[in-house]
């Protein structure tokens, strides 16, 4: 399958994603949707320990169904806003908003539409960039983007298509995602560990990053008893690997770890 790219107006957006353009092989791998059942696998707190970002933190808030409701940082900036997740009565994510702290400003505002047959599959979303929220709706935004999604038999997104909804820039881009025999996303220059991928703490995390990998593309200094990484040092090939957070060197805590304090 080829990766078709028409880059005018979408080049900057495309830099947020790592794309693999190889033949897809939906081989039998562990079910990637069952990893979030255990409360002790929830990501609870992240603490950056490197250079100018030292001391930056992210706290994860969950609802009673153990789905993420918010990720709150102690330093809100461009590229590092707070994140909010909204759900419908069927416990499906319907909005994902990355917000600043002034005048209801947002970095991105996304709304999701589900397949009427396979009701837990998101088939498209509309995203708005850099605007404000008024009466619950995005206004004064700079860009509007439509994304469509296709899945394999394991409910992993294997293709998405972007269309910029602006008459003067009728551009589109198509991305494909392939997995190896171990169930890991094929990415150049990456070596996986043999533990539990951090995205598998939530179906929401897997979808947003289009990464349903079984293992982590980095080696943690320590892991929980459940095999979740307690440290993330991502390096060049994994920059902003998790939920677009700037986590090139950060510690991670989970509910079973006790208070959210830096690891030694």
């Amino acid at each position: 399958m080829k990766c078709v790219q028409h880059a005018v107006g979408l080049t900057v957006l495309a830099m947020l994603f790592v794309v693999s353009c190889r033949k897809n092989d939906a081989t039998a791998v562990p079910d990637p949707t069952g990893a979030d059942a255990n409360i002790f696998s929830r990501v609870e707190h992240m603490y950056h320990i490197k250079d100018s970002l030292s001391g930056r933190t992210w706290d994860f808030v969950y609802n009673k169904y153990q789905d993420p409701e918010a990720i709150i940082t102690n330093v809100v900036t461009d590229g590092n806003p707070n994140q909010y997740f909204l759900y419908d009565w069927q416990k499906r994510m319907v909005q994902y908003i990355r917000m600043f702290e002034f005048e209801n400003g947002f970095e991105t505002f996304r709304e999701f539409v589900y397949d009427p047959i396979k009701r837990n599959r998101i088939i498209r979303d509309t995203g708005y960039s850099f605007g404000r929220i008024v009466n619950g709706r995005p206004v004064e935004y700079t860009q509007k983007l439509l994304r469509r999604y296709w899945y394999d038999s394991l409910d992993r997104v294997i293709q998405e298509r972007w269309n910029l909804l602006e008459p003067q820039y009728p551009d589109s881009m198509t991305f494909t995602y392939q997995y190896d025999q171990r169930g890991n996303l094929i990415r150049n220059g990456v070596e996986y560990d043999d533990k539990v991928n951090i995205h598998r703490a939530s179906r929401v995390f897997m979808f947003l990053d289009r990464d349903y990998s079984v293992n982590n593309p980095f080696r943690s200094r320590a892991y929980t008893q459940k095999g979740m990484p307690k440290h993330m040092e991502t390096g060049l090939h994994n920059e902003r690997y998790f939920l677009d957070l700037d986590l090139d060197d950060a510690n991670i805590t989970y509910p079973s770890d006790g208070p959210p304090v830096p690891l030694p």
Side-chain angles (χ1 to χ4, degrees):
M1 184 178 295
K2 294 184 178 180
C3 176
V4 181
Q5 300 189 10
H6 302 289
V8 178
L10 287 172
T11 302
V12 174
L13 288 173
M15 292 173 64
L16 299 177
F17 291 85
V18 177
V19 181
S20 174
C21 302
R22 305 182 186 179
K23 183 179 178 182
N24 185 64
D25 181 14
T27 54
V29 298
D31 178 8
T33 64
D36 56 349
N38 193 319
I39 187 173
F40 297 109
S41 294
R42 294 185 331 193
V43 177
E44 185 173 76
H45 181 82
M46 289 184 163
Y47 181 95
H48 209 288
I49 59 176
K50 184 177 180 180
D51 302 333
S52 61
L53 297 181
S54 179
R56 182 173 292 185
T57 64
W58 296 267
D59 288 298
F60 289 65
V61 180
Y62 296 83
N63 61 25
K64 64 181 180 180
Y65 304 111
Q66 310 309 323
D67 293 315
E69 279 193 334
I71 302 174
I72 306 299
T73 180
N74 64 336
V75 181
V76 175
T77 63
D78 286 354
N80 189 54
N82 292 321
Q83 303 186 32
Y84 298 94
F85 311 81
L86 286 77
Y87 301 86
D88 65 9
W89 65 273
Q90 298 182 71
K91 307 174 190 175
R92 303 179 305 183
M93 179 176 60
V94 292
Q95 290 183 346
Y96 170 56
I97 307 171
R98 296 167 58 90
M99 286 196 68
F100 301 121
E101 292 184 316
F102 55 89
E103 298 181 348
N104 291 327
F106 64 82
E107 182 180 89
T108 55
F109 182 112
R110 293 171 62 183
E111 296 182 299
F112 303 98
V113 175
Y114 286 80
D115 189 317
I117 306 300
K118 296 189 175 182
R119 302 178 65 84
N120 287 321
R121 281 187 178 181
I122 295 172
I123 56 174
R124 68 178 183 272
D125 75 69
T126 303
Y128 307 83
S129 300
F130 293 102
R132 295 191 306 118
I133 298 176
V134 176
N135 296 324
R137 301 302 306 158
V139 299
E140 301 175 11
Y141 47 84
T142 61
Q143 194 172 70
K144 185 176 180 181
L145 180 70
L146 176 68
R147 298 178 177 90
R148 294 183 176 91
Y149 304 98
W150 289 264
Y151 296 77
D152 65 9
S153 61
L154 298 177
D155 278 336
R156 302 176 299 195
V157 174
I158 56 171
Q159 186 180 75
E160 66 176 301
R161 182 174 300 143
W162 294 4
N163 290 96
L164 196 59
L165 300 180
E166 298 182 16
Q168 66 272 36
Y169 298 115
D171 303 321
S172 66
M173 299 182 73
T174 299
F175 302 89
T176 59
Y177 305 93
Q178 288 79 38
Y179 289 80
D180 62 20
Q181 296 290 331
R182 294 177 59 194
N184 293 321
L185 185 64
I186 298 173
R187 303 170 66 222
N188 293 330
V190 166
E191 181 180 350
Y192 286 87
D193 66 7
D194 60 354
K195 305 299 183 181
V196 181
N197 189 287
I198 189 170
H199 287 95
R200 295 169 70 84
S202 170
R203 295 178 178 88
V204 169
F205 299 159
M206 289 188 284
F207 171 80
L208 287 175
D209 282 346
R210 259 76 81 220
D211 193 337
Y212 303 79
S213 295
V214 172
N215 308 121
N216 298 289
F218 57 86
R219 295 191 179 277
S220 176
R221 296 174 186 168
Y223 295 88
T224 69
Q225 290 184 345
K226 298 290 184 180
M228 302 293 288
K230 298 176 73 172
H231 176 259
M232 182 183 295
E233 189 169 4
T234 54
L236 176 63
H237 294 292
N238 297 310
E239 186 176 4
R240 289 185 175 270
Y241 173 69
F242 184 59
L243 301 177
D244 199 30
L245 300 177
D246 196 357
L247 293 170
D248 57 326
D249 196 348
N251 289 327
I252 309 164
T253 59
Y254 302 82
S256 57
D257 291 337
V261 296
L263 298 175

